[in-house]
Amino acid sequence: QVQLVESGGGLVQAGGSLRLTCAASGRTFSTYHMGWFRQAPGKEREFVAAISWRGRTTDYADYVKGRFTISRDNAKNTLYLQMNSLKPEDTAVYYCNTVDRWPSLPSDYWGQGTQVTVSS
């Protein structure tokens, strides 16, 4: 199992940007499709974006398409999520995870996540 640690969250005004980072341990990171997910208060966790194991294919939820960009650096065992034009409805805890079935079925293992708060 890949160990995952998310970071980069914070408080930002609407229209601002944040870059999330997911540091993975283990030699097998580069063999996994990876994804970002989020959970807002009182809501179920939802899919945000996914990237294939080589980074050649990406997929986005409609509500972030055109604003968020997922990327990865397999040499650094790191996954990223660049978030631009943030909206208050993007407020949530963001998690990275391996993708068991493309594009949006995550594994059962979750890290601690990183809080993103967007003020209006």
Side-chain angles (χ1 to χ4, degrees):
Q1 180 66 47
V2 178
Q3 304 295 317
L4 303 167
V5 178
E6 302 92 342
S7 63
L11 173 63
V12 64
Q13 288 188 334
S17 298
L18 282 174
R19 189 193 197 199
L20 305 185
T21 298
C22 171
S25 63
R27 297 181 179 180
T28 59
F29 171 78
S30 62
T31 67
Y32 288 98
H33 300 326
M34 295 296 298
W36 285 98
F37 304 81
R38 69 186 186 186
Q39 187 167 21
K43 295 186 177 181
E44 293 189 353
R45 191 148 34 201
E46 62 183 8
F47 168 74
V48 173
I51 187 166
S52 60
W53 64 280
R54 286 186 179 179
R56 293 179 179 178
T57 304
T58 58
D59 192 85
Y60 296 92
D62 287 343
Y63 35 82
V64 304
K65 201 170 293 184
R67 300 187 297 122
F68 290 10
T69 302
I70 189 171
S71 61
R72 67 190 298 164
D73 186 336
N74 285 343
K76 296 182 178 180
N77 276 9
T78 304
L79 177 73
Y80 303 99
L81 185 69
Q82 178 66 43
M83 305 186 296
N84 298 329
S85 302
L86 282 161
K87 304 176 181 180
E89 51 263 44
D90 294 319
T91 295
V93 178
Y94 283 72
Y95 303 86
C96 61
N97 206 338
T98 58
V99 172
D100 282 1
R101 188 166 68 211
W102 184 263
S104 59
L105 183 67
S107 76
D108 292 334
Y109 172 80
W110 296 97
Q112 85 288 350
T114 185
Q115 175 71 50
V116 172
T117 303
V118 184
S119 63
S120 57

